Amino acid sequence: MSGYDPALVRADFPLLGRVIHDHPIAYLDSGATSISPASVITAMSHYYENSHANVHRAVYVTAEEATATYEGARRRVGRFIGAPHPDEEVVFTKNATEAFNLFVKSWGASQLRPGDVVVLSEMEHHANIVPWFQLRDQIGIEIRFIPVSDDFRLDLSGLDELLVGAKVVSVTGMSNVLGTINPVRELADRAHAVGAILVVDAAQSVAHSVTNVVEMGADAIMFSAHKMLGPTGLGVLWVRREILSAMPPFLGGGGMIADVTLEGFTAASGVTRFEAGTPPIAEAAGLSAAVDYLEKLGMAAIADHEAQLTGHTLERLATEFAGRVRILGPSTLEKRGGVISLDVEGVHPHDLAQVLDQFGVCVRPGHHCAKPLMRRFGVVATARVSFGPYSTLGDLDALFDGLHHAVGVFG
Amino acid sequence: MSGYDPALVRADFPLLGRVIHDHPIAYLDSGATSISPASVITAMSHYYENSHANVHRAVYVTAEEATATYEGARRRVGRFIGAPHPDEEVVFTKNATEAFNLFVKSWGASQLRPGDVVVLSEMEHHANIVPWFQLRDQIGIEIRFIPVSDDFRLDLSGLDELLVGAKVVSVTGMSNVLGTINPVRELADRAHAVGAILVVDAAQSVAHSVTNVVEMGADAIMFSAHKMLGPTGLGVLWVRREILSAMPPFLGGGGMIADVTLEGFTAASGVTRFEAGTPPIAEAAGLSAAVDYLEKLGMAAIADHEAQLTGHTLERLATEFAGRVRILGPSTLEKRGGVISLDVEGVHPHDLAQVLDQFGVCVRPGHHCAKPLMRRFGVVATARVSFGPYSTLGDLDALFDGLHHAVGVFG
Amino acid sequence: MAGMEDLYKEIIMDHYRSPRNRGELLSPPATRTEGFNPLCGDEIVVYLIVDDGVLTDIKMTGQGCSISQASASLMSAAVKGKPLSDVRERIDTFKALMTVHEAALDGEASDAVDLRRLGELAALQGVVKFPVRIKCATLAWNTLIQGLEEISPT
Amino acid sequence: MAGMEDLYKEIIMDHYRSPRNRGELLSPPATRTEGFNPLCGDEIVVYLIVDDGVLTDIKMTGQGCSISQASASLMSAAVKGKPLSDVRERIDTFKALMTVHEAALDGEASDAVDLRRLGELAALQGVVKFPVRIKCATLAWNTLIQGLEEISPT
Ligand SMILES: Cc1ncc(COP(=O)(O)O)c(C=O)c1O
Ligand SMILES: Cc1ncc(COP(=O)(O)O)c(C=O)c1O
């Protein structure tokens, strides 16, 4: 971790200057949304103050700048995830959820036939479940779930049977509840071996480790700008060119057409066919700046830093709360990221989060949009701690102060 | 126009400080996207710097603030358009186009049967055409178009026949090409008389005159934040409560569910069922500030101001370019807004816009996402001038300087 | 800024630790109504017996946070054995209590709630300072309303 | 900042005002290929006759801005009567000219285009400084490529 100074990083994030209930804020909810460095906020203000114009269709200077900003962001984020052809593969959506819906309702609805099998996992976020259910209710596909083992891993022992008839395997790169990092490359190879494609939910992983779509072997991935230090209102869908080019449009409207008459319309070619209406231009400017910032820190360095914090937290939980706190997720650092779900005996996650708030600590209670996983482990909710590049040992001290207090009050 | 000082208004917009090719910028492209006052930009930075958190599911302070900001924006914009029940009727989307797609693919797909008639008009934006074509290709509805007369108005002489079998009439409140303001109330009454609902595309009108959904008699309206001094990445769908409550969800994912199991899902009730995934939170903060700003100026005052500029422009065109410039739209102020499409003899709109850029003047050349209308009037493109509350007579002087120059170069 | 003591009043902690009227009733004759909070996963089942216009018995099961559990317990104590008209009045008073905050947010005046008429329920007043927790407090009440609705539709 | 004179060179205005090879050819024998720019509505129809490996005739109709019209006219003059190998070379050179800007945006070095080999086409060079107009300049060329593709698929 030479060169990585969390205190310096922290200083780049205006929100971390806040004082909550007389405590410096300890933002430990990056799994829900990350916060932004000043450079991201400034990039968006800069657009609004200087180049606020619509894209694609005008010739005046600010409109050219807006177009360059927007298309530049497409290339920037494409390179960040190792996309071979950013201009032809990166689609901007409003969030990762829309990216899933677009893919399922365009690729899925056009390529899948009744009885085709879609393989998900029990640890998926609702964004990677509900759109498939909607498609099933419409065209009659079959959905199967890779089970999760008692040690919080995908149980691949029955995968061969699950893959019979499969046309797509869609799994998360990293669980937003367990922190588990899944063996994406292995899943890609096994999916491809039976002629299925592999879709990866990269929402939780993209800001915390190096992402390379080619090395992953993925055919499509989805993520959100707001979980990678960027703004709300922007998601990314990357689809391999060969697959994307066969996908029919999803939303209809301006910007996605080649022609419209009173009789019908023809869709544009290329990624713009999936981007109907005025796109999130300022948000794209923000995402570019976020990617710049992440790369400046270095994705490997960020991963190291967060692993250190995660290890520290797991250790302190084991020593200070043995038998009182169950961790819903792997208890060692192996193949796990900086998301730690707590189940504290006698303290409901909502109450825990409320007590922690009094210490300036931000953690998220709830089902984390993963109700099937909650049921699998017999809980209705957990309190989730999650890290970002700006997290520090000081945040952890606040967290543990609060945990001790909560156990005292409710225990 | 007592009290309305365009110079003072102009000072609120940072972008208007720009100098383009040695000219102060004359931003005359508000029909494509408006620019934002400092208060809107600051409202978003404020969110990112102070309350950047996800909404709805957390108990800590910044998350509560984010939720209050987001839900507050729903109420704010609901009141702005006279919605009787903002909390139950205002849905946030990514733009007006998504709002149309949501409505067509939720309400339309669930309520319309093969053979049902949808009545649009020849002057619609692609956003109010293509989604209906997509639905037609899926379920076999019939789409009819109210023709546009030679004087650039809806030709309602055959409306009774068009309405036979109609379940929905969907028209624009104001044309984004012609500037024509349509008789929405009359259309509402006639649609309702045959049991059809009325949908209004308010994208062009909402920032330029008073909007009241009840007085309009509308059942649903759509618009975008970015055309009303607000940010990119946010649209609004308002649907009357009785109609909204029967609509099935559109995008699936987190936040829109009541429950998810391995067998299926049940949708949440209320507007959140249409807002899957992390919503545009900063954008909602920006929209609130934009609405505050618009109301501070006063919608009636803005309408007056823009009418004055429009009248002035029509006059100068008639006196300085008689016979050389055709206006695609009404030539008087009656029932028309501040959008003026020019067809200049011998000067292609693209070239005109390019020359105007040299004078710091921003106008938009193209088909304005209204290709059927372009065909109706035998042009492939126009150069469109459009006003905002910050437009001034000085902008018009620059425009006319440029027009004279362009005619000189190309004439 | 609201402090913890506004939320976790002694009465609330007491009802949370020793919930009243917990358990099931045979259904039928009792009605059985499920409620849940999709945002946080809290669940409740409310059993009701109404006899001659009186809510003669109420029992509840479920899981949830201290606020939702205590609110349920407080509610059961406040309505058990009461004529339905009294029960409805209690519900209205509780609702008024919980909407104070929304109204205040909107900058509108709200009818002050007479706290003395609330008895122990007044302990829930602090919840309105924590808007996200209002949904926790109202879960049991909304489920009660639904249950009564099933017994005698209005 | 690029000025008007970079875009509206004299040669361009000349080809715009007096377009070469305008008109139609009987099809068949000529191929007829339509192209259009969905962003601005410009349209073009390119007629081609290829005889024994030589583009013996080319004619065009359509409407568009000065850049798209002039580019079409310049193109027709540059390829008419040329062997297909020469035509392809012209196309490649033109493409290289138009991508200079994209590459420069990305901060990558690009092979310099030998302007002398371009002849009159060099007048289009200024277009790259106006990225939005590149699509205007390339419309005719892309339509030509498509037409040749129909004649002898590669
Ligand atoms: C009349 C009209 N309807 C719909 C739209 C679509 O708006 P957006 O691009 O924000 O989705 C526009 C703007 O382009 C418009 O002018
Ligand atoms: C694993 C995972 N997938 C998908 C999503 C959905 O992202 P968004 O809400 O930005 O659409 C999330 C975040 O909530 C997530 O954690």
Side-chain angles (χ1 to χ4, degrees), chain B residues 112-250:
Chain B
L112 298 180
R113 301 279 159 267
D116 280 350
V117 171
V118 172
V119 178
L120 310 177
S121 94
E122 251 181 354
M123 65 167 83
E124 296 313 312
H125 187 279
H126 295 163
N128 189 22
I129 302 177
V130 178
W132 297 108
F133 277 143
Q134 291 179 308
L135 185 65
R136 179 195 63 181
D137 297 346
Q138 197 192 318
I139 68 168
I141 51 176
E142 184 188 338
I143 296 172
R144 296 183 192 147
F145 291 89
I146 302 173
V148 174
S149 65
D150 287 344
D151 62 349
F152 310 102
R153 303 285 175 188
L154 289 184
D155 174 359
L156 300 182
S157 60
L159 187 60
D160 284 338
E161 295 94 280
L162 288 175
L163 285 175
V164 175
K167 292 287 180 298
V168 51
V169 176
S170 184
V171 292
T172 189
M174 170 172 150
S175 163
N176 68 320
V177 176
L178 309 173
T180 306
I181 292 175
N182 288 321
V184 167
R185 179 76 231 188
E186 178 187 348
L187 289 167
D189 292 339
R190 294 184 65 179
H192 292 156
V194 300
I197 64 166
L198 181 77
V199 175
V200 178
D201 180 349
Q204 284 296 330
S205 56
V206 72
H208 306 282
S209 55
V210 177
T211 301
N212 185 298
V213 291
V214 176
E215 285 170 17
M216 289 161 92
D219 297 290
I221 78 171
M222 296 75 173
F223 52 97
S224 279
H226 73 85
K227 289 195 210 277
M228 52 194 292
L229 317 189
T232 56
L234 178 61
V236 178
L237 170 66
W238 170 84
V239 185
R240 203 153 51 73
R241 185 167 61 172
E242 294 71 26
I243 293 177
L244 184 128
S245 61
M247 285 166 54
F250 177 48

Side-chain angles (χ1 to χ4, degrees), chain D:
Chain D
M1 186 138 297
M4 292 268 285
E5 58 290 355
D6 290 316
L7 192 59
Y8 298 119
K9 296 232 169 72
E10 219 167 278
I11 299 177
I12 290 189
M13 292 306 281
D14 174 47
H15 276 262
Y16 173 51
R17 294 215 173 86
S18 325
R20 325 295 198 259
N21 301 300
R22 210 166 159 85
E24 307 187 0
L25 292 173
L26 193 69
S27 162
T31 57
R32 180 182 183 284
T33 312
E34 288 179 21
F36 58 108
N37 180 339
L39 290 184
C40 64
D42 286 359
E43 300 166 341
I44 193 168
V45 182
V46 175
Y47 299 86
L48 303 175
I49 291 190
V50 173
D51 204 5
D52 205 15
V54 175
L55 182 59
T56 53
D57 207 359
I58 175 169
K59 286 234 182 308
M60 294 163 314
T61 62
Q63 39 189 336
C65 64
S66 60
I67 304 301
S68 83
Q69 297 292 298
S71 178
S73 174
L74 282 159
M75 174 186 87
S76 71
V79 300
K80 186 172 164 174
K82 295 276 183 338
L84 288 187
S85 54
D86 280 22
V87 172
R88 295 227 160 79
E89 206 188 302
R90 285 284 152 137
I91 291 172
D92 289 345
T93 315
F94 173 77
K95 274 190 178 168
L97 195 66
M98 288 298 127
T99 50
V100 169
H101 178 80
E102 298 271 304
L105 260 188
D106 277 12
E108 289 159 16
S110 73
D111 298 326
V113 177
D114 183 348
L115 291 178
R116 280 159 311 178
R117 277 173 51 225
L118 280 171
E120 279 201 322
L121 285 183
L124 286 166
Q125 197 200 12
V127 175
V128 293
K129 296 185 194 152
F130 299 80
V132 177
R133 305 305 293 276
I134 293 177
K135 288 217 168 65
C136 308
T138 52
L139 176 61
W141 296 79
N142 286 335
T143 313
L144 171 65
I145 293 168
Q146 220 183 302
L148 293 174
E149 192 63 27
E150 282 162 29
I151 294 169
S152 52
T154 48

Side-chain angles (χ1 to χ4, degrees), chain A residues 65 140 190:
Chain A
E65 289 168 356
R190 293 184 65 179

